Amino acid sequence: MTDAGTQRQGLLIIHTGAGKGKTTAALGTAMRAAGNGMRVLVLQFLKGSWHYGELDAAERFNGDLVIRQMGRGFVKVGGAETDPEDLRLVQEAWQDAVREIQSGEWDLIVLDEINYAIGYEMLDAKAVADALKERPQMLHVILTGRNAHPLLVELADTVTEMREVKHAYTRGILAQRGIEF
Ligand code: ATP
Ligand code: MG
């Protein structure tokens, strides 16, 4: 690996698994990329009801790190049927994602929680795979969320599964500002 860092190639990366750290690892990579002068877009599927600290942190990157929330928060709470409005928002978010992927404006795009949207069958895995295959050659993409679809795992270059060893939540400790949101 004498040429480490010199051969640029867009990677498809997946953070999946039941343990904590999928989104935060993606945000860490986003910060690293932005620090290298790269332009980074984070599209958050299924989020929108909470205000996350990263939204304010991104403001300090002067447009090199842009985070957009595309939904209205938790869907299918308690295994409920998919609300048509959530379905519409996910599909609209996906249209935006495709446009941004093809735009050539970004060096890294994070599709945060997209695996949940696919797992809930609000988005078609094959359509996502096809769009990713046709992305600009230099574009890095990170997908996050539990239960990554096998088709996407197969297509990806780097896949990390977060495994839960323990989580404060199971001891009744609620989400902590700055750590969870
Ligand atoms: P984070 O955003 O903290 O990196 P994540 O992206 O890995 O978490 P998600 O499935 O997106 O996890 O869930 C987001 C929220 O759920 C976070 O507040 C996170 O702390 C919490 N969470 C993640 N894993 C667990 C778990 N195993 N048990 C309980 N809560 C969890
Ligand atoms: Mg997450």
Side-chain angles (χ1 to χ4, degrees), residues 52-70:
Y52 291 84
E54 55 263 34
L55 294 169
D56 300 318
E59 300 281 318
R60 302 180 196 177
F61 283 80
N62 298 321
D64 291 328
L65 172 53
V66 176
I67 304 182
R68 279 188 221 138
Q69 293 191 322
M70 316 291 283

Side-chain angles (χ1 to χ4, degrees), residues 23 47 112-113 144:
T23 295
K47 283 183 174 167
D112 188 35
E113 319 298 358
T144 86

Side-chain angles (χ1 to χ4, degrees), residues 132-144:
L132 291 173
K133 281 181 199 160
E134 285 165 24
R135 75 187 189 277
Q137 207 198 331
M138 296 303 193
L139 176 64
H140 301 295
V141 176
I142 304 178
L143 314 178
T144 86

Side-chain angles (χ1 to χ4, degrees), residues 97-168:
V98 170
R99 218 174 8 255
E100 297 291 3
I101 286 168
Q102 291 169 348
S103 72
E105 290 217 8
W106 308 100
D107 299 298
L108 167 64
I109 297 184
V110 177
L111 302 177
D112 188 35
E113 319 298 358
I114 193 171
N115 292 340
Y116 294 95
I118 295 165
Y120 293 149
E121 297 184 343
M122 299 165 89
L123 262 188
D124 179 40
K126 177 145 190 320
V128 174
D130 288 346
L132 291 173
K133 281 181 199 160
E134 285 165 24
R135 75 187 189 277
Q137 207 198 331
M138 296 303 193
L139 176 64
H140 301 295
V141 176
I142 304 178
L143 314 178
T144 86
R146 295 181 191 203
N147 303 316
H149 195 283
L151 206 60
L152 295 167
V153 169
E154 158 106 46
L155 185 64
D157 300 292
T158 298
V159 180
T160 299
E161 184 168 334
M162 308 296 177
R163 184 172 67 86
E164 182 187 321
V165 176
K166 52 161 80 170
H167 193 290

